Amino acid sequence: MQGQQTGIRRGFRPEIQALRALAVLLVVIYHLEPRIVPGGYIGVDIFLVISGFLITSHLLKEAESTGRINLLSFYAGRVRRILPAALLVILVVVLLTLLITPSTQWHSVGVQAVASALSVQNWVLAASSVDYLSADEAPSALQHFWSLGVEEQFYFVWPLIVLAVCLLLPARARTAGLWTGFSLVFVLSLGFSAYLGFTADASGYFVTTTRAWELAAGGLLALLAARSTSATRGLLYGLPQWSRNLLVLFALAAIAGAAFSYDGHTAFPGLAALVPVLATMLIIAAERTEGVFSLRRVIDSAPVQWVGAVSYSLYLWHWPLIVFAAQLTGEDPGPLESIGLLALSLMLAQLSYRLVENPVRRWSGLSRGAGRTVLAGVAAVAVVAGVGFAPQYAQQRLVAEQRQQVRQLEQAPPQGFGAPSLQAGAPAFLEGNTQIVPALSEAAEDLPQIGDCVQKPQATETKECEFGNPKAKTTIALVGDSHATHWYQAVLDLVQRNDWKLVTYLKNSCPFTAATREAEQTGSISCRTANQASLERILGRSDIDVVITAYWAAASYTSDPAAGFAEYWGELEDAGIDVIPLVDTPRPEGKQFARDCLAGHLQHPQECATERKDALEPADATKRAAELEPRVQVQDFTDEFCTENTCPAVVGNVLVYRDKHHISDTYMRTLAPEFAKRLEPVISGDLRR
């Protein structure tokens, strides 16, 4: 490449600034009002293509003029551009977390603060397969740093590829080497992204390996621009002006189509991301346009260019504002609140841009030496990462104090501990003790102790597990999704009391029904084949006498779920296996988890209760299915979770819900005696028939 005229320009590109404005507004509006642009998350993909193009263009120009890449200088530039505003946001989030968020969230935010400072937030989220609507984790004010992690990992690796080509290949072969290297990254990453999208692996949204192809696409475009003989006028200079303008409009229409038609069920990034990626490449390739159909006036307008300029800071600040606002109000923002949050985000973005981004980037103290800048960046990251441990340390101290009290309550539970207190009016606390079991910060881990007997939603089959007396004359089967699983302890207690055997067929997100969940059509779960196999195994055994089943009633189906349940129940009843369906458990109302609410309202736990009429799922098809198959014996335990008017979050010192809608295992243990009392005569009557 050395000595060749590539024509790579470093001039200001208003159309790229406008693309930045479009990308950040798509993301911000999506986070504020996802109903308006359900696919607004594609703004991140636009950003990645832009970054790949600009960074590669910079590297190619340096390689062309010097024959090498000055890594220290490159990384120093990234330190000045990226770290100041990002580290400031992390510090502010950590401080506000300790001041205004429930202690139950401190550890999670601390972990993500450290991960964000170290630019590995995307891998932390991928490891737990978290998304913004996760059932087990409250949204973190730093989750949006995952995309910055992807970019910063790219910034670390990409120059090494260009440097390796410069060092290992002669000048005449370097261009071919870069094409080969970039294309290889593009193809392998796109293939892996498509595979994870097809298998509905939630981690695929976050990992760098599924996003690298988008950055590589920008790199390939930069290579193409470097070889263009029309570099002074753009890659598409050979086309008539009006046709270039139409191509830009077509690309914008494609982006708009994706933003309005994609949603949370779209397999993404995968092949679906090709639409915004290719459209962005087309707009960048068209460069400056004018004349008929040109958007030049819009692109050059002051508001568009200003939003593009502050887009980085706007991206950093908007999500923490949304999360903290939701935590303070207990609900998602309405239209007016969204407008206010958008205005506040823009104000903070401007302040951050003017007072942090630009001054630090231009500070002479950091421009005197690349080595000094990099060392300063490393030191700043280390300090902020260290601060990130503060919430974790604070929560660990709090939990250590609570564990002793929890052990005392578990070893000597007061009269009415847990579910039995419902009969006495459901007091939140007994004998003046306000300690909740489990400790609120550990509630998410209060799960049924069932090992690996619960399969993941994407698994193609359901595992069969056995508990209790292997030689018992009576065998009970527990079948269904996670809402069947949270009954496990009560069913196990019933089995052990009677020296019976328990067989489980449990698979998260897969209710035991012939109906198809809508989520299965998107590939995010796999249920029908697994359910049919479970039904056949149950029918094929000669020892199962009774099937107990339950499901999450808020799921959506492509057909009538009641008919699907009745179909399976009828086959079991025809085979002489009695079916006992359980009406779904009540669920807390509102966005905030019960454990988080209680952490902030320990003196007034009634603030975290839900009206009974709002806690019961109106779409529960259990009783309707029983009308279609009247041989089953439906059991409703709502009165073990709710009083006549409300469904409390804590009863008799025991937390009822471990997350958004799953019952804590501790509460289920306290309910087990009543569960056995009601079901023993039902099952005994079935066995006598």
Side-chain angles (χ1 to χ4, degrees):
M1 292 174 58
Q2 193 170 13
Q4 296 175 343
Q5 295 299 316
T6 62
I8 299 172
R9 298 171 312 289
R10 292 174 57 89
F12 178 68
R13 299 280 301 271
E15 68 280 2
I16 290 181
Q17 199 78 306
L19 270 174
R20 285 193 179 110
L22 173 63
V24 76
L25 289 177
L26 282 174
V27 173
V28 172
I29 296 172
Y30 166 67
H31 285 154
L32 286 169
E33 294 289 337
R35 293 166 295 182
I36 296 178
V37 277
Y41 51 77
I42 65 169
V44 170
D45 307 273
I46 296 173
F47 272 127
L48 294 180
V49 176
I50 293 172
S51 294
F53 175 77
L54 294 178
I55 291 302
T56 306
S57 297
H58 169 77
L59 293 171
L60 293 178
K61 181 173 180 64
E62 183 177 359
E64 173 195 15
S65 60
T66 66
R68 61 184 182 84
I69 300 295
N70 187 329
L71 292 178
L72 203 59
S73 177
F74 175 83
Y75 294 140
R78 296 302 89 204
V79 166
R80 289 191 297 269
R81 175 70 181 91
I82 294 173
L83 288 186
L87 295 182
L88 174 63
V89 170
I90 295 171
L91 288 173
V92 171
V93 166
V94 169
L95 176 62
L96 291 179
T97 294
L98 292 171
L99 291 177
I100 67 175
T101 65
S103 59
T104 47
Q105 297 180 16
W106 291 354
H107 181 272
S108 175
V109 173
V111 169
Q112 294 195 27
V114 175
S116 297
L118 298 178
S119 302
V120 293
Q121 170 74 307
N122 61 317
W123 291 103
V124 170
L125 294 178
S128 55
S129 296
V130 173
D131 63 21
Y132 289 131
L133 301 179
S134 169
D136 299 318
E137 292 286 346
S140 161
L142 293 172
Q143 283 187 190
H144 66 316
F145 268 70
W146 74 266
S147 63
L148 301 184
V150 171
E151 286 200 51
E152 288 159 28
Q153 291 158 36
F154 166 79
Y155 295 152
F156 181 77
V157 174
W158 205 245
L160 299 179
I161 296 176
V162 178
L163 179 61
V165 169
C166 291
L167 294 178
L168 298 177
L169 297 178
R172 63 181 180 277
R174 288 173 187 166
T175 299
L178 290 172
W179 274 105
T180 301
F182 292 0
S183 298
L184 192 62
V185 172
F186 179 89
V187 171
L188 292 178
S189 175
L190 176 58
F192 187 57
S193 179
Y195 168 74
L196 289 188
F198 176 77
T199 59
D201 188 330
S203 67
Y205 190 85
F206 301 105
V207 294
T208 309
T209 46
T210 63
R211 297 285 184 167
W213 69 273
E214 299 177 302
L215 291 147
L220 289 169
L221 182 63
L223 271 176
L224 191 62
R227 307 312 306 161
S228 172
T229 56
S230 304
T232 58
R233 300 297 299 274
L235 287 168
L236 304 181
Y237 176 65
L239 296 177
Q241 187 69 248
W242 63 268
S243 63
R244 289 169 57 203
N245 295 339
L246 285 179
L247 285 175
V248 170
L249 292 175
F250 171 76
L252 288 173
I255 290 173
F260 289 111
S261 64
Y262 290 2
D263 57 24
H265 297 299
T266 305
F268 208 86
L271 297 178
L274 280 168
V275 173
V277 167
L278 294 177
T280 302
M281 293 174 69
L282 186 58
I283 294 171
I284 294 174
E287 294 205 5
R288 297 286 281 166
T289 61
E290 55 188 26
V292 181
F293 306 126
S294 174
L295 297 177
R296 186 165 184 170
R297 288 188 177 181
V298 176
I299 290 171
D300 290 350
S301 66
V304 170
Q305 290 297 304
W306 174 73
V307 173
V310 302
S311 59
Y312 178 57
S313 280
L314 178 57
Y315 181 82
L316 289 174
W317 286 108
H318 85 281
W319 180 249
L321 286 177
I322 294 172
V323 170
F324 286 130
Q327 288 177 343
L328 290 173
T329 63
E331 56 187 21
D332 291 325
L336 291 179
E337 291 88 349
S338 292
I339 293 173
L341 287 171
L342 176 59
L344 184 56
S345 298
L346 290 168
M347 183 183 72
L348 285 176
Q350 172 68 0
L351 291 173
S352 180
Y353 178 70
R354 292 292 299 273
L355 302 179
V356 179
E357 282 192 64
N358 281 342
V360 175
R361 189 163 62 243
R362 298 167 182 169
W363 184 29
S364 59
L366 290 179
S367 61
R368 293 173 184 168
R372 176 184 298 181
T373 301
V374 172
L375 285 176
V378 171
V381 166
V383 169
V384 174
V387 172
F389 283 102
Q392 302 176 63
Y393 176 71
Q395 189 175 26
Q396 286 171 358
R397 290 191 60 183
L398 185 62
V399 170
E401 296 173 2
Q402 294 175 344
R403 280 177 181 161
Q404 180 62 32
Q405 300 177 49
V406 166
R407 281 194 293 267
Q408 292 173 358
L409 277 172
E410 290 177 329
Q411 291 169 3
Q415 185 71 27
F417 183 66
S421 277
L422 275 163
Q423 305 305 318
F429 303 118
L430 304 171
E431 300 177 1
N433 188 332
T434 59
Q435 176 58 51
I436 297 175
V437 181
L440 295 177
S441 297
E442 300 181 313
E445 305 304 319
D446 195 32
L447 304 161
Q449 301 304 304
I450 196 170
D452 63 349
C453 292
V454 182
Q455 301 304 105
K456 294 182 179 180
Q458 297 83 11
T460 56
E461 62 180 20
T462 304
K463 188 173 182 178
E464 181 182 82
C465 293
E466 296 188 4
F467 307 89
N469 183 359
K471 298 180 180 180
K473 294 181 179 180
T474 300
T475 300
I476 309 295
L478 177 62
V479 189
D481 60 11
S482 61
H483 275 226
T485 302
H486 69 204
W487 285 100
Y488 165 77
Q489 194 58 53
V491 177
L492 180 64
D493 183 79
L494 168 70
V495 167
Q496 292 174 337
R497 285 169 180 263
N498 294 276
D499 199 29
W500 293 340
K501 179 166 64 176
L502 171 63
V503 184
T504 62
Y505 302 88
L506 301 169
K507 190 170 185 293
N508 289 338
S509 300
C510 290
F512 188 58
T513 176
T516 301
R517 279 195 61 181
E518 289 183 358
E520 184 155 16
Q521 291 189 316
T522 67
S524 59
I525 62 175
S526 177
C527 297
R528 282 186 62 84
T529 301
N531 279 337
Q532 186 62 38
S534 295
L535 177 64
E536 292 172 359
R537 278 185 288 174
I538 294 170
L539 294 172
R541 294 179 62 131
S542 60
D543 60 338
I544 294 181
D545 302 289
V546 176
V547 165
I548 297 175
T549 184
Y551 86 112
W552 180 51
S556 300
Y557 296 84
T558 60
S559 59
D560 182 15
F565 287 118
E567 178 181 332
Y568 273 13
W569 299 349
E571 291 192 48
L572 294 170
E573 292 283 355
D574 289 343
I577 300 173
D578 296 302
V579 180
I580 302 178
L582 306 177
V583 172
D584 192 23
T585 48
R587 52 168 173 73
E589 187 186 29
K591 184 178 180 65
Q592 194 174 39
F593 287 14
R595 62 183 189 242
D596 296 339
C597 180
L598 288 167
H601 297 86
L602 198 58
Q603 302 304 316
H604 303 283
Q606 67 274 10
E607 296 290 331
C608 305
T610 300
E611 292 294 321
R612 180 169 176 148
K613 60 182 176 62
D614 297 323
L616 302 181
E617 178 54 59
D620 193 341
T622 305
K623 293 182 178 179
R624 288 197 298 112
E627 294 174 359
L628 300 174
E629 178 44 75
R631 290 176 290 179
V632 305
Q633 301 184 67
V634 173
Q635 299 295 308
D636 188 346
F637 285 89
T638 301
D639 61 336
E640 290 299 309
F641 300 94
C642 305
T643 65
E644 184 178 347
N645 298 314
T646 64
C647 300
V650 58
V651 176
N653 290 86
V654 177
L655 180 69
V656 179
Y657 304 97
R658 72 171 188 261
D659 54 29
K660 284 184 178 178
H661 48 76
H662 293 99
I663 306 302
S664 75
D665 203 47
T666 300
Y667 190 82
M668 194 59 74
R669 288 173 186 271
T670 68
L671 187 152
E674 180 65 21
F675 183 85
K677 179 181 176 181
R678 294 193 197 182
L679 260 65
E680 279 172 352
V682 175
I683 294 173
S684 297
D686 290 337
L687 295 176
R688 286 195 297 267
R689 285 189 296 174

